[in-house]
Amino acid sequence: MKIGYFLSSEEYTPAELIEQARMAEEAGFDGLWISDHFHPWNDEQGQSAFVWSTIGAISQVCELPVTTAVTCPTVRIHPAVIAQAAATSAVLLNGRFTLGVGTGEALNEHVLGSVWPTVDVRLEMLEEAVEIMRRLWTEDGFVTHHGKHYTVDTARIYTRPQQPLPIYMSGFGPEATDVAARIADGYITTTPDRELLQRFRDHGGGSKPTQAGFKVSYAPTEAEGVDQAHRIWGNSGLPGELSQVLPSPRHFEQASQLVTKEATAQSVACGPKGDVHVDAFTPYVEAGFDEVYVANMGPHIVDMMNLYRTEILPELRLRKEHSHE
């Protein structure tokens, strides 16, 4: 199992994300996730830079592979433009780039005034978008496409990597997971759901790579860790499809009032204790994911990186070695 670091574009400035990427490599992480948002989930998070600029800068300070977790290439930005952005990122990263895609959230995608489609339509749009992007990365001539949702007129991407980019797709329910198994090169999720992971593998995913990510809240004390997790990322505790349909940060702030601090404390690894952080990986390890990415909440990034460099990553790798004996 590879262990990566998850860069939260919603919480940190571009300069902070670039520095975190550099520190993650020095700490011994195997790769990077980076979120792709137009808005943060709430105003307390307070950031949301254009991810493609940040990825370009990261490529100049860090040799780790990068995956977007995840980009929605369907509503706010046309898939032909995402195809160009992703191809440039792959060139800058010397091929160490994976385009993670998903059906998106109204929070980010409604901003141009488009009607937010139902989930079935969003999946249909995503499948067509993936087809367009792959054609633009692989065909030698100009691409023309007249589909149900998109039109592409004699388009050609000139700057692209030698090998086509892998596309991983997020799946948080059975229908999306089935589509991911059928059309994607890998699977992305943020829950250690064994049933969905097995469904991906059984419905065509087979041995394709699988990734999962979660957040921790490092702080000098557990109480401070709980406080900052609840204050900054209370939205993580919202159930069901709310995260896909609420249209603005203020709606997430309103809904997050239903999430108690006790619920946050029970669901998030908080504080400075190494065993708490190691144990947070256990459900993902036991579920059988190939790669797990961890994000930090709050300002204590340097101390969190030091803990992971000296204690967490060595312990996780030691356990992995013992599991294969």
Side-chain angles (χ1 to χ4, degrees):
M1 185 186 74
K2 295 182 178 178
I3 304 166
Y5 185 76
F6 186 0
L7 299 165
S8 296
S9 299
E10 309 94 308
E11 186 180 348
Y12 302 103
T13 67
E16 289 171 330
L17 294 171
I18 295 160
E19 178 63 11
Q20 287 179 29
R22 187 192 62 76
M23 288 192 293
E25 184 174 34
E26 291 183 352
F29 285 97
D30 297 313
L32 298 170
W33 264 13
I34 185 166
S35 53
D36 180 358
H37 271 239
F38 189 89
H39 290 139
W41 297 100
N42 56 56
D43 283 356
E44 188 66 41
Q45 292 167 6
Q47 297 292 328
S48 213
F50 191 56
V51 73
W52 304 106
S53 303
T54 308
I55 291 171
I58 287 171
S59 74
Q60 302 304 295
V61 302
C62 177
E63 295 290 323
L64 293 178
V66 177
T67 301
T68 52
V70 292
T71 291
C72 178
T74 57
V75 178
R76 172 172 46 103
I77 304 179
H78 192 283
V81 179
I82 294 294
Q84 184 188 27
T88 300
S89 296
V91 169
L92 285 167
L93 287 159
N94 295 317
R96 302 184 310 276
F97 180 72
T98 297
L99 179 62
V101 300
T103 57
E105 302 94 11
L107 173 73
N108 302 303
E109 304 305 318
H110 80 282
V111 295
L112 301 182
S114 301
V115 173
W116 185 233
T118 62
V119 64
D120 289 347
V121 174
R122 300 203 305 271
L123 285 168
E124 191 178 76
M125 294 171 73
L126 182 58
E127 186 165 356
E128 186 177 339
V130 167
E131 176 191 351
I132 290 168
M133 292 188 293
R134 286 200 172 120
R135 288 188 62 192
L136 287 165
W137 294 334
T138 58
E139 295 186 14
D140 292 331
F142 287 84
V143 172
T144 295
H145 172 91
H146 297 284
K148 182 175 180 180
H149 300 286
Y150 304 106
T151 297
V152 178
D153 182 16
T154 55
R156 181 179 177 184
I157 294 177
Y158 281 81
T159 300
R160 64 190 195 188
Q162 292 183 341
Q163 299 297 323
L165 285 69
I167 295 178
Y168 292 8
M169 180 179 159
S170 67
F172 299 108
E175 189 176 0
T177 300
D178 289 350
V179 174
R182 180 164 49 83
I183 72 169
D185 302 305
Y187 177 63
I188 289 176
T189 187
T190 56
T191 60
D193 191 318
R194 293 192 191 195
E195 290 185 7
L196 283 180
L197 179 60
Q198 192 59 48
R199 186 182 184 105
F200 172 79
R201 290 171 172 158
D202 292 342
H203 285 70
S207 59
K208 294 176 182 178
T210 59
Q211 298 180 340
F214 68 98
K215 293 180 175 65
V216 299
S217 183
Y218 181 93
T221 66
E222 181 181 356
E224 182 181 342
V226 172
D227 285 344
Q228 66 193 18
H230 189 68
R231 174 173 52 83
I232 303 171
W233 285 93
N235 59 280
S236 295
L238 295 178
E241 298 180 20
L242 278 176
S243 64
Q244 296 175 339
V245 300
L246 295 178
S248 77
R250 71 174 179 273
H251 293 108
F252 279 91
E253 289 164 0
Q254 292 164 4
S256 296
Q257 293 175 13
L258 301 174
V259 180
T260 65
K261 187 178 290 188
E262 290 73 23
T264 299
Q266 291 175 3
S267 61
V268 179
C270 298
K273 294 182 179 179
D275 58 340
V276 172
H277 288 260
V278 170
D279 289 345
F281 284 83
T282 301
Y284 299 90
V285 174
E286 293 179 346
F289 285 96
D290 299 306
E291 303 176 27
V292 181
Y293 293 78
V294 58
N296 191 54
M297 298 180 269
H300 303 289
I301 298 295
V302 173
D303 290 338
M304 182 268 193
M305 289 286 185
N306 287 334
L307 176 70
Y308 274 67
R309 176 176 54 82
T310 58
E311 293 185 38
I312 310 306
L313 297 180
E315 176 63 22
L316 290 170
R317 286 169 181 144
L318 184 63
R319 292 188 182 190
K320 178 184 176 183
E321 290 177 9
H322 290 165
S323 69
H324 291 296
E325 291 179 355

